[in-house]
Amino acid sequence: MKVGIEGSLFFKRSSGVGYYAKRLIEAATKKDSDINFEIVRHWLVFKKFKPPLKPSSRLSYRLVKWFPPIIYYQVFKRLNWFIPYDLVALRKYDAFLFFNFIAFPLRKNTKSIIVVHDISFIKFPQFTQAKNLKYTPKLLRRSIKRAAHIITVSENSKKEIAEFYKLPPDRITVIPNGVDHERFYPRPAIDIGKVRQKYSLPENYIHFHGTIEPRKNIEGILDAYAQLDTGLKTRYALVLSGGKGWNDEGIYRKIGQLQKAGNKILLLGYIENEELAPLLSGASVFIWPSFYEGFGVPPLEAMACGVPVITSNSSSLPEVVGDAAIKIRPEDTRALTAAINQVLSDTTLASNLSRAGLSQSKKYTWEASAQKLIKLLDSLSNSR
């Protein structure tokens, strides 16, 4: 079976969606199967090519050099009609994977499979970038109509997608995110010390990691930290790490105001992959009170590093963390403050959460998710 993959996400700095695509395909190509994957990407003739994933007997690349990508993308976006994408690649595929929500047209006999992580732009449009709200709802609805199958990352997302688009549940398969347990594990003091020294971190800190944007409820985190017991605030800094997002002016304004008032809030910005696990491991508690998530990887990675986790009781998060975290309503700032106080003041509770989190995180591996992808592709091949 020959499976094409629309490859734009593979060549960008790894966002949550891009990381999912890379790790899932990397794990799938190591499985014993007769499926061959080919990543298709528009490419400029004069640009040097560096493969984001190592080519193998089951993974190859198809560089489209004859067709400028800006023309294809803009015409498709505005007219929703253009040359079938597998014809642009000058290659015939049995199926084609689109990891970034939107599926381009394909030839009649090529099965389209799209990945829809969540429908946050429908549930919380106020937290979505305006440029995405303009096109995504219309294009996604059309993509779902032409798709042979839909992949999503949680049972909660599957339920929401099926209900909103009136789809039978058997058209949607849940293939969750995995945890890279070779990277995310409780790091020794020497690894934590290097990261602490690089970022001038105090010995004790509360940690949030994620894109700096309103949906992550960062203003709620800031309010909760400001309301902590004075003694705890003196001993524990609040560390925020993650890339810059959108609609974040209010977040940065509040950070500045609280810093001026004497609160120990450190903003680290984007963190390189090799630094994240030590940074997580050094935290006393990890907080993730997001308003909405299709899955929620950071709490699971924090658990894998042995850190107690406080998260939301909404969307997919209860499903992902199970009984291994404290869960609060994201709108309830006082509950978040109380939960932080409780974890930092009760060493037995913190230890129990740490052990439970390590166990919960082991339920999620890229190998298991890759096996689900292989099984899905085999079933689609057999249904011809």
Side-chain angles (χ1 to χ4, degrees):
M1 186 180 187
K2 188 76 170 179
V3 177
I5 303 169
E6 196 284 307
S8 57
L9 284 174
F10 289 76
F11 293 86
K12 298 176 181 178
R13 174 183 275 183
S14 289
S15 64
V17 177
Y19 184 74
Y20 175 87
K22 289 178 185 177
R23 294 312 310 271
L24 184 60
I25 294 304
E26 182 180 46
T29 57
K30 295 176 182 177
K31 291 290 181 183
D32 183 17
S33 76
D34 60 356
I35 298 172
N36 294 309
F37 296 92
E38 186 163 76
I39 296 174
V40 180
R41 178 65 171 144
H42 291 275
W43 205 258
L44 299 175
V45 175
F46 57 83
K47 191 175 180 182
K48 186 177 179 180
F49 175 67
K50 182 180 179 182
L53 296 177
K54 186 178 179 180
S56 69
S57 60
R58 293 199 178 90
L59 179 65
S60 58
Y61 290 85
R62 185 73 173 168
L63 301 182
V64 179
K65 298 181 179 180
W66 69 277
F67 204 123
I70 190 67
I71 296 176
Y72 189 92
Y73 295 147
Q74 289 302 317
V75 172
F76 173 75
K77 184 184 288 185
R78 296 177 192 284
L79 301 182
N80 193 42
W81 179 89
F82 214 51
I83 302 171
Y85 199 64
D86 50 345
L87 193 59
V88 170
L90 305 177
R91 192 68 64 91
K92 184 69 179 74
Y93 301 96
D94 298 295
F96 214 97
L97 266 168
F98 296 91
F99 277 99
N100 201 14
F101 282 79
I102 307 304
F104 299 136
L106 298 169
R107 283 180 278 190
K108 185 176 180 180
N109 293 326
T110 307
K111 293 191 175 183
S112 176
I113 305 165
I114 64 172
V115 180
V116 184
H117 286 251
D118 58 65
I119 52 172
S120 58
F121 60 91
I122 294 165
K123 305 290 287 187
F124 290 92
Q126 70 272 29
F127 296 149
T128 304
Q129 287 177 288
K131 65 178 182 179
N132 290 335
L133 276 179
K134 185 176 180 180
Y135 293 109
T136 300
K138 176 177 67 175
L139 294 178
L140 179 56
R141 186 174 288 278
R142 291 174 180 174
S143 296
I144 286 175
K145 284 183 179 179
R146 71 165 61 97
H149 205 79
I150 299 159
I151 294 171
T152 193
V153 291
S154 66
E155 292 294 340
N156 184 73
S157 285
K158 176 177 178 175
K159 178 176 176 288
E160 290 181 343
I161 293 166
E163 288 179 352
F164 186 82
Y165 292 102
K166 296 179 173 55
L167 299 173
D170 60 4
R171 271 194 68 195
I172 308 171
T173 295
V174 175
I175 302 180
N177 285 266
V179 174
D180 182 356
H181 292 282
E182 292 184 359
R183 248 183 77 203
F184 292 98
Y185 59 89
R187 292 301 184 93
I190 188 170
D191 291 350
I192 297 170
K194 288 177 183 178
V195 171
R196 186 178 288 150
Q197 183 178 22
K198 176 177 178 178
Y199 291 102
S200 301
L201 300 179
E203 184 175 352
N204 301 309
Y205 57 90
I206 301 158
H207 188 203
F208 163 87
H209 175 75
T211 304
I212 307 300
E213 50 134 331
R215 182 164 56 88
K216 304 302 183 186
N217 195 17
I218 297 170
E219 290 197 51
I221 291 173
L222 294 167
D223 288 337
Y225 179 73
Q227 294 167 17
L228 274 180
D229 293 343
T230 303
L232 288 177
K233 275 202 299 182
T234 302
R235 286 167 29 221
Y236 294 90
L238 173 62
V239 173
L240 307 174
S241 64
K244 182 175 168 57
W246 48 89
N247 297 337
D248 52 13
E249 297 83 2
I251 295 171
Y252 289 109
R253 184 164 54 249
K254 179 164 283 191
I255 289 171
Q257 291 169 349
L258 290 176
Q259 287 173 330
K260 285 181 181 178
N263 293 276
K264 295 192 292 185
I265 301 172
L266 304 176
L267 191 62
L268 306 189
Y270 180 80
I271 298 294
E272 296 296 335
N273 286 337
E274 62 271 14
E275 296 174 338
L276 180 54
L279 183 62
L280 289 169
S281 297
S284 299
V285 62
F286 183 84
I287 53 177
W288 182 267
S290 179
F291 288 114
Y292 179 89
E293 294 295 328
F295 186 82
V297 173
L300 208 55
E301 291 176 339
M303 287 178 168
C305 292
V307 182
V309 168
I310 301 168
T311 190
S312 299
N313 66 354
S314 60
S315 63
S316 66
L317 289 163
E319 170 189 341
V320 172
V321 303
D323 296 325
I326 294 177
K327 298 179 283 288
I328 52 94
R329 285 196 313 113
E331 303 84 3
D332 194 342
T333 304
R334 289 186 178 181
L336 179 56
T337 300
I340 297 171
N341 271 323
Q342 190 178 11
V343 174
L344 296 182
S345 303
D346 188 338
T347 56
T348 301
L349 173 63
S351 179
N352 289 340
L353 287 171
S354 176
R355 282 196 299 272
L358 284 168
S359 178
Q360 178 70 9
S361 71
K362 290 174 183 176
K363 297 177 182 178
Y364 295 89
T365 68
W366 289 113
E367 292 73 24
S369 293
Q371 190 59 51
K372 291 181 180 180
L373 176 62
I374 297 296
K375 183 179 179 180
L376 170 63
L377 293 172
D378 282 339
S379 69
L380 292 175
S381 177
N382 294 332
S383 66
R384 282 183 173 278

